[in-house]
Amino acid sequence: MDTTPRRTLRLAALMGSVALPLAFLAMPGYAQEKPKEHADGPAAAYEPSMTTLGKLKLEIPGRKPDDPVITPAEFDKAKQIYFERCAGCHGVLRKGATGKPLTTDITRERGYEALKDFITYGSPAGMPNWGTSGELSEAEVDLMARYILIEPPQPPEFGMEEMKKTWKVLIPVDQRPKKPENDLKRDNLFSVTLRDTGQIALIDGGTKKIVKVIDTGYAVHISRISASGRYLFVIGRDAKLDMIDLWMKEPSKVATVKIGSEARSVETSKMKGYEDKYAIAGSYWPPQYVIMDGDTLEPLKIKSTRGMIYDSQEFHPEPRVAAIVASHYRPEFIVNVKETGKVLLVDYSDIKNLNTTEIEAERFLHDGGFDSTKRYFLVAANARGKVAVIDTKEGKLTAVIETGGQTPHPGRGANLNHPKYGPVWVTSHLGDETVALIGTDPEGHPDQAWKVVQQLEALGGGSLFVKSHPKSDHLYVDAPLNPEAEISGSVAVFKVSELGGKEPKYKVLPIAEWAAIGEGQPRVVQGEYNQAGDEVWFSVWNSKDKTSAIVVVDDKTLKLKSVIKDPKLITPTGKFNVFNTRNDVY
């Protein structure tokens, strides 16, 4: 440990006129010259950020005599960096999530030097090397080391009063069409997220033309469709939920509400007799979900997810709501609570007397989808390298499966009919090139059910989504977070009928090259089929100031079919076909 006068003077400057006890700033054994490995792999590049929390105006918490000197301007900058780069792993209140806690009792024991080194170099365990990668400057690393030595600010709560203030019915129900007023082929529309503009583009799957660009919340995370196919629901990371009526002569927003400060999930009721009756949305902050009227988005009931972690039985103050899906077997919403490792089956048949089944699954639940029968819901506990299986018909946990890869990230997954193992569900991984195929047929293939029956190797780490279709003989695997441009701009395609062989091979489709957009280093992300299942669309996601595109591939021939370019198509990411999304076809 450096104990030169220069280091002592620097610490004194950081702490201002009040000397911080050097006992905790100079703990031996914590600071490091340089680790053997930097965390610069594709998994570390994935930032589950809390972007909009970083923009909130928050006060510096009550100062303590031994706090480091940090000005209000520095605090605002550090707060934004923390929420955008760190909170997704370490928690809003720094009490830990997929990453370790960074509460002041821990950070002060580590000390300034150790914290600065850790932020600079990262760790092989998954902490990104923010300094050596160039993501943070030396001054920003210094700022963040000081920031996590002071108490964290707490964003405001968001209850019914705050929610109702944001709720607007833009077009009352009685003023909306009684029947469709346009000739759009609605089931083949795509809702495309324009991430950095706070918009979605409705694109006609037949003509490949933009029907309309609609202002929404920031960085729309998902689009969902009501059971009738009439209403499109989109939710931004800023927790702004918009409801779009596809029956109108020109599809337009008819209602909007903000459900918190950060959010990721929305779904609608699908059970017979409850079609279009309710919508539900879940937030990262505050940790809660809200059930709303399905025609107006009026908030009806808010439920907190704060509670005990399923295995340690310790209280967690901010368990985030991850994926939400609607059961096809019961009038229930399936709500996945990330940090506590619980899956909630929320019965919406009587929301006044809400009945919830709490299933202990695994911590760090993230995203997932149904098997081909829509009975079983498979959700990735990504930081644990596992997939939990929920039987939505019986209302219980069926299995927890180790996927054999680093950080499963399936999106909604992909369902295949394997030539040897029958029905399987697929996930790729953020941290490596593996693709896991899990058996999902306990009646027809009981020996393979709820096991990884085959592991494929695709292009490399950094995959976010896999995609197939009941009518297709192909499985597509992207790798948008891979550090190599050639890989992040391509997709791997496996032929399903050949998966029974010893060493299945994949074909590489150079999607970014096909887009021919010139400048930039675009990433290719999230394949999505059209309604017929004979085309698959990929986003070629470039920076905001450069040209992006959507590439359409002929699923039969794996040849380029068309490229969609439009000045309005800025930073396209997720794409959601109305028919496939409404019917959980993937």
Side-chain angles (χ1 to χ4, degrees), residues 38-41 44 118-123 127-135:
H38 287 196
D40 54 4
F118 195 56
I119 296 167
T120 299
Y121 297 115
S123 78
M127 170 75 172
N129 54 321
W130 295 112
T132 55
S133 68
E135 292 287 333

Side-chain angles (χ1 to χ4, degrees), residues 298-572:
E298 178 185 4
L300 302 174
K301 183 175 285 288
I302 302 171
K303 294 291 290 184
S304 172
T305 54
R306 292 182 171 104
M308 311 308 285
I309 300 169
Y310 90 95
D311 51 359
S312 67
Q313 293 294 294
E314 294 176 323
F315 180 77
H316 200 291
E318 50 174 297
R320 295 169 284 181
V321 177
I324 302 177
V325 296
S327 172
H328 294 267
Y329 283 83
R330 298 177 173 188
E332 290 178 339
F333 292 122
I334 302 158
V335 179
N336 296 272
V337 185
K338 203 174 184 78
E339 280 73 25
T340 56
K342 296 174 181 177
V343 178
L344 309 179
L345 306 182
V346 181
D347 186 337
Y348 54 74
S349 63
D350 182 2
I351 67 168
K352 290 291 185 182
N353 301 284
L354 199 65
N355 183 30
T356 302
T357 300
E358 186 177 280
I359 298 174
E360 296 182 352
E362 183 56 281
R363 293 180 67 183
F364 312 124
L365 301 171
H366 189 61
D367 57 353
F370 289 106
D371 78 311
S372 58
T373 70
K374 302 181 178 60
R375 171 174 175 173
Y376 297 97
F377 177 70
L378 296 92
V379 57
N382 53 12
R384 291 282 175 94
K386 298 177 182 179
V387 165
V389 183
I390 305 298
D391 184 342
T392 65
K393 182 179 180 181
E394 298 295 331
K396 61 184 181 181
L397 180 72
T398 296
V400 177
I401 307 154
E402 292 193 11
T403 63
Q406 297 179 27
T407 319
H409 193 287
R412 287 170 287 179
N415 287 299
L416 313 176
N417 193 12
H418 194 282
K420 185 176 180 180
Y421 302 115
V424 299
W425 181 88
V426 185
T427 182
S428 55
H429 294 83
L430 274 165
D432 58 40
E433 71 279 4
T434 61
V435 180
L437 279 61
I438 297 171
T440 59
D441 185 14
E443 294 184 5
H445 298 78
D447 293 340
Q448 285 78 42
W450 319 128
K451 299 174 184 176
V452 175
V453 297
Q454 187 172 13
Q455 194 170 69
L456 309 174
E457 290 189 0
L459 289 169
S463 176
L464 290 178
F465 301 102
V466 291
K467 183 59 64 173
S468 191
H469 189 277
K471 296 180 182 178
S472 173
D473 192 34
H474 294 122
L475 168 67
Y476 298 82
V477 185
D478 68 14
L481 298 187
N482 195 283
E484 296 184 30
E486 187 175 352
I487 292 177
S488 64
S490 303
V491 295
V493 189
F494 293 89
K495 199 164 187 178
V496 176
S497 57
E498 295 177 355
L499 293 180
K502 288 185 178 180
E503 294 182 11
K505 304 295 183 183
Y506 58 81
K507 182 174 183 177
V508 178
L509 302 186
I511 302 294
E513 181 182 317
W514 286 350
I517 58 177
E519 290 185 289
Q521 187 175 319
R523 292 171 280 180
V524 172
V525 64
Q526 204 253 341
E528 177 76 343
Y529 277 85
N530 63 347
Q531 180 188 4
D534 57 11
E535 294 177 353
V536 59
W537 295 30
F538 290 96
S539 294
V540 184
W541 172 21
N542 212 346
S543 57
K544 185 177 180 180
D545 60 342
K546 293 181 172 61
T547 302
S548 291
I550 291 174
V551 167
V552 181
V553 175
D554 186 309
D555 182 63
K556 301 298 181 185
T557 65
L558 299 183
K559 302 293 185 181
L560 173 64
K561 191 166 184 178
S562 60
V563 178
I564 303 172
K565 291 181 182 177
D566 189 292
K568 298 188 287 292
L569 202 62
I570 300 171
T571 59

Side-chain angles (χ1 to χ4, degrees), residues 566-581:
D566 189 292
K568 298 188 287 292
L569 202 62
I570 300 171
T571 59
T573 53
K575 300 166 299 303
F576 302 88
N577 175 267
V578 166
F579 180 86
N580 294 334
T581 302

Side-chain angles (χ1 to χ4, degrees), residues 67-117:
D67 276 353
V69 169
I70 188 167
T71 67
E74 287 181 317
F75 174 81
D76 286 342
K77 182 176 181 179
K79 166 186 63 65
Q80 182 163 354
I81 291 173
Y82 179 81
F83 284 129
E84 291 183 353
R85 307 288 182 91
C86 316
C89 289
H90 298 288
V92 171
L93 305 178
R94 305 211 309 251
K95 294 190 177 182
T98 54
K100 300 291 186 182
L102 292 174
T103 48
T104 53
D105 59 322
I106 295 171
T107 59
R108 291 189 171 217
E109 182 182 356
R110 292 291 180 96
Y112 167 81
E113 290 287 351
L115 296 172
K116 185 169 70 70
D117 287 348

Side-chain angles (χ1 to χ4, degrees), residues 52-184:
T52 54
L53 278 181
K55 295 179 173 62
L56 293 180
K57 190 69 177 176
L58 302 176
E59 299 296 326
I60 301 177
R63 300 298 297 266
K64 295 181 180 179
D66 54 0
D67 276 353
V69 169
I70 188 167
T71 67
E74 287 181 317
F75 174 81
D76 286 342
K77 182 176 181 179
K79 166 186 63 65
Q80 182 163 354
I81 291 173
Y82 179 81
F83 284 129
E84 291 183 353
R85 307 288 182 91
C86 316
C89 289
H90 298 288
V92 171
L93 305 178
R94 305 211 309 251
K95 294 190 177 182
T98 54
K100 300 291 186 182
L102 292 174
T103 48
T104 53
D105 59 322
I106 295 171
T107 59
R108 291 189 171 217
E109 182 182 356
R110 292 291 180 96
Y112 167 81
E113 290 287 351
L115 296 172
K116 185 169 70 70
D117 287 348
F118 195 56
I119 296 167
T120 299
Y121 297 115
S123 78
M127 170 75 172
N129 54 321
W130 295 112
T132 55
S133 68
E135 292 287 333
L136 296 181
S137 67
E138 187 174 347
E140 288 171 331
V141 170
D142 158 67
L143 174 60
M144 295 311 297
R146 284 184 282 141
Y147 177 77
I148 59 175
L149 284 167
I150 66 174
E151 293 295 331
Q154 178 166 327
E157 298 294 326
F158 211 83
M160 186 62 79
E161 181 179 356
E162 292 80 9
M163 213 173 285
K164 283 286 185 75
K165 288 178 181 178
T166 72
W167 171 52
K168 297 177 182 177
V169 177
L170 306 174
I171 301 177
V173 176
D174 60 3
Q175 295 178 24
R176 297 176 198 169
K178 301 297 186 285
K179 60 182 181 179
E181 293 182 344
N182 59 60
D183 58 0
L184 292 172

